[in-house]
C-alpha cells in the first residue's frame, strides 16, 4: 500500500504502548487511519491499551532483554510485513543516588538496557526490513529535554540515556540520509508530561500540573506535537522544551551541519 499522507507510513510499532505517551500516540495514529501495534512488559496494560486505542494488537516484550529482540523482529515482520514505522518510546526513569543506593549498579544497568540498548537493537534489527520498503519508513525516537539539560538531578542515569538517544538520533538520521535510504528519523523530546513515568519517585505525581504548573497534560502535549509530526518536522518538542531545544540547536546546530556536510 502506498503512503498517502504527511506522516509517511502505514503501520507503526510503539514500544511502551501500555500507557502514557505511548498509549496516547497509539490512539492518535489509529485516529489517522494507521495500523498500530503496541509492545510492552505488562500484558494487562497492553490489553487495556488495545481496547481503549483501537490498536490492531500487542506483543509482550521487555526491550531491556535484547536477546529477545531478534526473534521478536522475525515474528512481527512475518505477521505484519506492512510494518514501516518504529516508535522507540519505552523507557524507565529511576531516582538514583551515587552515595546512598547500594543497588545503584543493578538499577542503572536495567535503565541502560531499556533506554539505550533496546532502541538501538530494535532499529538495527529492523533496518533490513525497512530498507525494502519502496515508499520508505519512519523511525521515531522519544528522548527528553533532560537529554539536552540534565536538570533532574535525581535521575543521573535517565538523563544520560536521553542524551544518548538525542545524539544517536542525529547521527542515525545523517547516516541513513547519506546512505541513500528513504528512512526518516524523527526525534520527539518531551518536557515534563503528566504520565506515570515518575512512579518510582517519593512523590509520583510531581510531574502533574497540580504539583508542577509548567508540566503539560498528556492532552496538551499531544495537541502540540501532532501538528509538528504532520508537518514533517524531524525534531519535535513542546511546552518548555521549545526554548531548550531552540537554544541547543542555536549553539551547536551549525557546527553539526558543517560536519554533516563534510560527510564525516
Amino acid at each position: 500500500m502506498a503512503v498517502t499522507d504527511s506522516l509517511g507510513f502505514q503501520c507503526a510499532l510503539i514500544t511502551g504502548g501500555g500507557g502514557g505517551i505511548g498509549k496516547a500516540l497509539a490512539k492518535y495514529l489509529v485516529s489517522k487511519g494507521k495500523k498500530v501495534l503496541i509492545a510492552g512488559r505488562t500484558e494487562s496494560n497492553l490489553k487495556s491499551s488495545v481496547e481503549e486505542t483501537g490498536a490492531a494488537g500487542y506483543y509482550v516484550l521487555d526491550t531491556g532483554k535484547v536477546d529477545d529482540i531478534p526473534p521478536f523482529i522475525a515474528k512481527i515482520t512475518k505477521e505484519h510485513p506492512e510494518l514501516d514505522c518504529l516508535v522507540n518510546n519505552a523507557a524507565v526513569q529511576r531516582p538514583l543516588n551515587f552515595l546512598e543506593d547500594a543497588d545503584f549498579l543493578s538499577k542503572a544497568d536495567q535503565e541502560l538496557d531499556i533506554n539505550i540498548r533496546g532502541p538501538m537493537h530494535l532499529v538495527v534489527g529492523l533496518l533490513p526490513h525497512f530498507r525494502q520498503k519502496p515508499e520508505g519508513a519512519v523511525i521515531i525516537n522519544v528522548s527528553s529535554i533532560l537529554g539536552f539539560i540534565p536538570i533532574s538531578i535525581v535521575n543521573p542515569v535517565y538523563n544520560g540515556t536521553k542524551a544518548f538517544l538525542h545524539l544517536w538520533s542525529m547521527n542515525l538520521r545523517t547516516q541513513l540520509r547519506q546512505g541513500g535510504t528513504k528512512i526518516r528519523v524523527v526525534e520527539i523530546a518531551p518536557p515534563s508530561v503528566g504520565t506515570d513515568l515518575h512512579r518510582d519517585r517519593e512523590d509520583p505525581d510531581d510531574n502533574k500540573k497540580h504539583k508542577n504548573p509548567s508540566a503539560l497534560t498528556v492532552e496538551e502535549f499531544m495537541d502540540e506535537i501532532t501538528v509538528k509530526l504532520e508537518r514533517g518536522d524531524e525534531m519535535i518538542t513542546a511546552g518548555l522544551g521549545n526554548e531548550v531545544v531552540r537554544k541547543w540547536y542555536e549553539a551547536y546546530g551549525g557546527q553539526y551541519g558543517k560536519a554533516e556536510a563534510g560527510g564525516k
Side-chain angles (χ1 to χ4, degrees):
M1 181 185 295
V3 175
T4 58
D5 60 38
S6 59
L7 292 174
F9 59 86
Q10 293 298 327
C11 177
L13 164 66
I14 303 175
T15 66
I21 289 174
K23 183 177 178 180
L25 282 169
K27 184 176 182 180
Y28 159 71
L29 291 177
V30 169
S31 77
K32 291 296 179 179
K34 304 303 179 187
K35 182 175 183 179
V36 175
L37 307 163
I38 60 174
R41 293 184 291 172
T42 307
E43 187 168 17
S44 58
N45 291 343
L46 295 170
K47 286 182 176 179
S48 297
S49 184
V50 166
E51 293 175 1
E52 294 175 36
T53 65
Y58 70 85
Y59 292 83
V60 177
L61 176 71
D62 183 344
T63 57
K65 297 179 178 178
V66 296
D67 288 343
D68 293 344
I69 289 179
F72 164 73
I73 289 175
K75 179 179 176 65
I76 195 172
T77 53
K78 180 179 180 180
E79 294 178 350
H80 303 280
E82 69 275 26
L83 179 68
D84 58 354
C85 175
L86 166 66
V87 182
N88 273 317
N89 170 71
V92 293
Q93 184 190 90
R94 300 266 169 70
L96 291 170
N97 188 300
F98 291 97
L99 300 177
E100 297 177 4
D101 291 326
D103 56 353
F104 185 101
L105 288 178
S106 62
K107 288 183 176 179
D109 283 344
Q110 185 188 43
E111 200 163 356
L112 291 167
D113 285 343
I114 293 173
N115 295 8
I116 289 180
R117 297 182 73 214
M120 182 167 59
H121 281 249
L122 282 167
V123 165
V124 174
L126 280 168
L127 276 180
H129 175 76
F130 283 170
R131 293 185 72 180
Q132 295 175 1
K133 296 294 178 184
E135 300 293 331
V138 180
I139 296 167
I140 300 175
N141 292 326
V142 180
S143 62
S144 169
I145 64 168
L146 295 174
F148 293 74
I149 306 176
I151 54 177
S152 184
I153 310 301
V154 298
N155 301 123
V157 177
Y158 179 85
N159 298 338
T161 64
K162 292 305 183 176
F164 172 92
L165 206 61
H166 165 55
L167 299 176
W168 179 69
S169 295
M170 292 176 70
N171 287 166
L172 175 65
R173 180 185 299 118
T174 299
Q175 287 196 14
L176 293 181
R177 183 179 291 148
Q178 292 179 346
T181 78
K182 293 183 179 180
I183 304 171
R184 294 180 60 239
V185 177
V186 176
E187 179 184 353
I188 299 176
S192 186
V193 180
T195 68
D196 63 352
L197 183 64
H198 289 191
R199 56 186 171 271
D200 291 327
R201 290 196 183 191
E202 184 175 335
D203 181 358
D205 291 327
D206 63 3
N207 62 341
K208 308 299 193 297
K209 193 173 285 291
H210 68 281
K211 294 285 187 72
N212 179 1
S214 66
L216 299 180
T217 65
V218 173
E219 293 75 19
E220 289 171 335
F221 174 72
M222 291 300 298
D223 284 345
E224 186 168 349
I225 70 158
T226 52
V227 172
K228 299 172 182 179
L229 193 60
E230 293 176 25
R231 191 169 64 195
D233 291 9
E234 293 183 334
M235 178 68 245
I236 297 173
T237 185
L240 292 178
N242 289 303
E243 182 179 8
V244 171
V245 170
R246 177 181 60 78
K247 287 184 175 180
W248 194 95
Y249 275 93
E250 283 178 353
Y252 306 113
Q255 189 170 357
Y256 183 77
K258 291 178 181 178
E260 190 175 33
K264 301 296 185 181

